[in-house]
Amino acid sequence: MASIQKRPDGVWRARYRDDAGKEHARHFQRKVDAQRWLDEVTTSVVTGTYVDPKTAKLTVGEWCDLWLVGYGTRRASTVRQATVHVKVIKEHFGTTRLSAVKPSDVKSWTVQLRQTYAPSTTYAIYRRLAQVMGDAVHDGIIPRSPCSRRTAPAQGQQRPYVATTDQVWGLYDAFPAHLRPAVLLGAFVGLRVSEAAALRVSDVDFMRGIVSPEIQYPSEPLKTEISRTPVPIPNELALLLSRNVETFGATTVVTNEIGRATSPWAIERAMRAHRGDVEGLPDGFRFHDLRHYLASLLIGKGLDVKVVQTRLRHGNATTTLNTYGHLWPDADESARSAVADVLAARADSLRTLEA
């Protein structure tokens, strides 16, 4: 319902009611301006881009605070990461109205972020802004998001460093005895550091040779169902892991100095302290890089992408290929040979016809 009325003072009053029955009104000096405003409102309602004028005044900072409250239902570590990202977003856009943020503003902001953060971190913060803006659209606060593929910065993915087998064993020997199982779990089982720190003795079937990760540090469920995929291990690895269990008698496979559960930070500290003891390892080598060694090992043995995906517990094969596609051997030669075979067959058929 909409109408235009002339007030006693000569001002034209345009008003309408939204779907919730709430009345909105504006005043204009000319009737034509009032009609134009109502036409714009009507068009936005029909096209689904209508936004309540009052909610449209929300700033990015105000909406981020509201958004974080709703996001608080996620696991604590996920909320902490989102809070860090939101803090960066508010530093730049905090006082800006949501409806005023343009795609060009987002692009220039990502350029500034690249001057402070690594490309992967810049992309993660941008994706958080896109998530926040997308939820604002879903709530009807803004008609469309300023974030799109056109505004997205490069992800900045780098090829992972792949340690040699000698370097992996060098790390194993350099680590304190109570943390050595972590190296084995990273390099030969493919566990992430939070999974390795929390792996319980009950999660390992030493007789059958199966590791079944169920939780991550401190005692939270794994994020995805694929992460709970059981991983088969050889008897030799099961024996190495069981020795630490027998020595320290703890409930977790990886322990601290006195046989109690350890933490991801303790494992990463050991990595930083001892990676320099291994010739050739880069300064930035992390525990997660041990997973890259496992991927390289499996690919080098001729296993296909689906097997590697399953062993690394990736959500899909695309992730595996994007990260490790370059490790599959003889890719160039295989492609060259495939084309050469077709050309050779063509040449043979022509020689047969000529004969």
Side-chain angles (χ1 to χ4, degrees), residues 230-246:
V231 181
I233 60 174
N235 292 333
E236 294 81 358
L237 180 56
L239 286 173
L240 282 174
L241 293 174
S242 66
R243 288 175 187 171
N244 200 68
V245 175
E246 294 171 357

Side-chain angles (χ1 to χ4, degrees), residues 100-123:
V101 180
K102 302 186 295 293
S104 58
D105 298 329
V106 175
K107 292 186 71 172
S108 62
W109 172 64
T110 58
V111 171
Q112 296 177 33
L113 289 180
R114 287 288 293 266
Q115 298 174 4
T116 304
Y117 301 99
S120 58
T121 304
T122 296
Y123 184 78

Side-chain angles (χ1 to χ4, degrees), residues 237-290:
L237 180 56
L239 286 173
L240 282 174
L241 293 174
S242 66
R243 288 175 187 171
N244 200 68
V245 175
E246 294 171 357
T247 301
F248 292 96
T251 58
T252 56
V253 176
V254 187
T255 69
N256 61 14
E257 299 90 333
I258 59 175
R260 296 183 179 178
T262 189
S263 68
W265 300 280
I267 296 173
E268 290 288 11
R269 280 198 300 270
M271 181 65 74
R272 290 192 294 271
H274 297 287
R275 63 193 175 197
D277 299 335
V278 181
E279 184 178 356
L281 280 184
D283 292 339
F285 192 85
R286 307 161 302 157
F287 182 88
H288 195 80
D289 293 321
L290 293 174

Side-chain angles (χ1 to χ4, degrees), residues 30-340:
R30 301 189 306 167
K31 183 178 181 180
V32 65
D33 295 330
Q35 187 62 57
R36 183 182 298 111
W37 178 70
L38 281 182
D39 291 343
E40 291 174 354
V41 171
T42 303
T43 300
S44 66
V45 171
V46 173
T47 59
T49 60
Y50 173 77
V51 175
D52 187 325
K54 290 185 177 179
T55 58
K57 295 178 181 179
L58 272 177
T59 65
V60 173
E62 291 169 341
W63 171 243
C64 282
D65 292 339
L66 292 172
W67 181 86
L68 275 176
V69 173
Y71 199 71
T73 57
R74 310 295 180 90
R75 67 179 71 242
S77 59
T78 303
V79 175
R80 283 196 298 271
Q81 185 181 55
T83 302
V84 172
H85 292 164
V86 164
K87 181 180 179 181
V88 177
I89 293 170
K90 290 172 65 175
E91 287 175 353
H92 187 85
F93 291 113
T95 59
T96 305
R97 284 188 298 109
L98 272 173
S99 58
V101 180
K102 302 186 295 293
S104 58
D105 298 329
V106 175
K107 292 186 71 172
S108 62
W109 172 64
T110 58
V111 171
Q112 296 177 33
L113 289 180
R114 287 288 293 266
Q115 298 174 4
T116 304
Y117 301 99
S120 58
T121 304
T122 296
Y123 184 78
I125 297 172
Y126 164 81
R127 288 303 307 161
R128 188 69 64 188
L129 175 66
Q131 183 182 18
V132 169
M133 289 296 187
D135 286 348
V137 174
H138 185 72
D139 271 16
I141 298 174
I142 54 176
R144 62 182 62 84
S145 171
C147 301
S148 67
R149 281 187 291 180
R150 292 186 176 184
T151 60
Q155 296 189 41
Q157 293 180 340
Q158 298 179 350
R159 287 188 174 185
Y161 179 84
V162 178
T164 65
T165 298
D166 287 341
Q167 288 173 330
V168 170
W169 286 119
L171 275 175
Y172 177 81
D173 293 334
F175 262 51
H178 60 280
L179 292 178
R180 285 176 182 171
V183 177
L184 301 177
L185 293 172
F188 301 119
V189 185
L191 296 192
R192 302 168 179 88
V193 65
S194 60
E195 298 167 344
L199 188 71
R200 301 164 298 194
V201 175
S202 59
D203 295 329
V204 183
D205 189 331
F206 294 96
M207 294 296 294
R208 297 171 56 211
I210 299 177
V211 175
S212 303
E214 290 291 336
I215 61 173
Q216 61 182 338
Y217 184 88
S219 185
E220 297 180 353
L222 300 180
K223 290 184 176 181
T224 62
E225 189 64 32
I226 192 67
S227 295
R228 287 186 281 273
T229 302
V231 181
I233 60 174
N235 292 333
E236 294 81 358
L237 180 56
L239 286 173
L240 282 174
L241 293 174
S242 66
R243 288 175 187 171
N244 200 68
V245 175
E246 294 171 357
T247 301
F248 292 96
T251 58
T252 56
V253 176
V254 187
T255 69
N256 61 14
E257 299 90 333
I258 59 175
R260 296 183 179 178
T262 189
S263 68
W265 300 280
I267 296 173
E268 290 288 11
R269 280 198 300 270
M271 181 65 74
R272 290 192 294 271
H274 297 287
R275 63 193 175 197
D277 299 335
V278 181
E279 184 178 356
L281 280 184
D283 292 339
F285 192 85
R286 307 161 302 157
F287 182 88
H288 195 80
D289 293 321
L290 293 174
R291 276 171 58 86
H292 304 328
Y293 167 80
L294 176 61
S296 174
L297 179 65
L298 299 178
I299 293 169
K301 292 297 182 181
L303 300 182
D304 62 38
V305 63
K306 290 301 293 183
V307 175
V308 177
Q309 174 203 342
T310 301
R311 290 295 169 265
L312 293 176
R313 297 167 297 127
H314 282 155
N316 54 65
T318 301
T319 301
T320 307
L321 285 171
N322 286 344
T323 309
Y324 303 113
H326 65 287
L327 295 179
W328 263 270
D330 302 323
D332 290 340
E333 284 302 320
S334 296
R336 185 180 289 117
S337 297
V339 176

